[in-house]
Amino acid sequence: MIRNAEATRERILEAAMAEFSAHGIAGARVDRIAKNADCNKNMIYIYFENKEMLFTTILQKNLTRVYEEITFTPDDLPGYAVRVFDFAMSNPDLMRLMAWFSLEQKADSPVERGQVHDQKVKSLTEAQNSGQVGAAFPPEFILTTIMTIATAWTAANPFGPLLDPKSIKNVEPLRDAISRVVRLISLEGLQN
């Protein structure tokens, strides 16, 4: 019985990921999620209470996966940026989910997201204080810039793929350019 319940919950999460990444919170329909998960609509409310909680659960589950799979390395920010780029390009549904989250702001941001961000900023500050990373820019700016550059060519970004569609056909030059730009930003302000 427990296996069936867990299997049903996982099918709901999988169907909801597809639904939310395609339609956002407001446009998503619980009826479609239930149909695609091959379950009763009431099961969704039993497991997740409401549509917003389901969205938040999916967002948290995927962000946890990101935190586990992409190690933050303040001593190698270009390498970190390339790993973020590769992950983002390989997970377009998650990038669309994040875009919907930013646009709609109807669901609560998972607490862990803020904690992870704060830890990265702390690590960057320490790297700046030890001379590993230049201090020309605040650590928050560096982190935001890295994330923005590394995800600029995803399906969720209105600039990269739409304005420069040829670039995503050969991602190696993008990877190289991202690495070089992040290296420049991270070294700015270091004494030679």
Side-chain angles (χ1 to χ4, degrees), residues 11-55:
R11 284 195 321 271
I12 291 169
L13 290 171
E14 186 177 315
M17 177 67 169
E19 181 74 10
F20 286 128
S21 67
H23 303 286
I25 299 170
R29 298 293 172 254
V30 174
D31 290 339
R32 284 192 300 244
I33 295 170
K35 180 181 176 191
N36 291 329
D38 195 28
C39 73
N40 183 307
K41 180 178 167 180
N42 291 333
M43 293 303 294
I44 294 172
Y45 294 109
I46 289 170
Y47 287 122
F48 302 102
E49 296 179 34
N50 57 50
K51 188 167 65 166
E52 287 76 17
M53 181 61 75
L54 176 57
F55 182 90

Side-chain angles (χ1 to χ4, degrees), residues 54-89:
L54 176 57
F55 182 90
T56 300
T57 301
I58 292 166
L59 182 61
Q60 180 62 52
K61 179 181 177 183
N62 282 281
L63 289 177
T64 298
R65 189 175 127 228
V66 169
Y67 305 144
E68 291 170 355
E69 292 182 24
I70 307 174
T71 304
F72 181 69
T73 50
D75 58 326
D76 180 20
L77 292 174
Y80 173 70
V82 168
R83 289 190 302 278
V84 171
F85 170 79
D86 288 340
F87 185 91
M89 296 301 285

Side-chain angles (χ1 to χ4, degrees), residues 75-151:
D75 58 326
D76 180 20
L77 292 174
Y80 173 70
V82 168
R83 289 190 302 278
V84 171
F85 170 79
D86 288 340
F87 185 91
M89 296 301 285
S90 298
N91 293 279
D93 283 354
L94 176 55
M95 297 312 297
R96 283 191 292 275
L97 188 75
M98 293 297 298
W100 281 114
F101 173 73
S102 295
L103 287 171
E104 297 188 39
Q105 296 185 5
K106 290 185 178 185
D108 292 331
S109 185
V111 173
E112 185 183 14
R113 186 176 189 210
Q115 292 169 342
V116 169
H117 179 269
D118 292 347
Q119 183 56 48
K120 289 176 183 175
V121 169
K122 181 180 176 192
S123 295
L124 270 173
T125 301
E126 291 168 0
Q128 285 180 321
N129 291 339
S130 69
Q132 292 177 301
V133 174
F137 304 107
E140 296 87 352
F141 178 85
I142 293 172
L143 185 57
T144 299
T145 302
I146 290 170
M147 298 307 292
T148 302
I149 291 169
T151 60

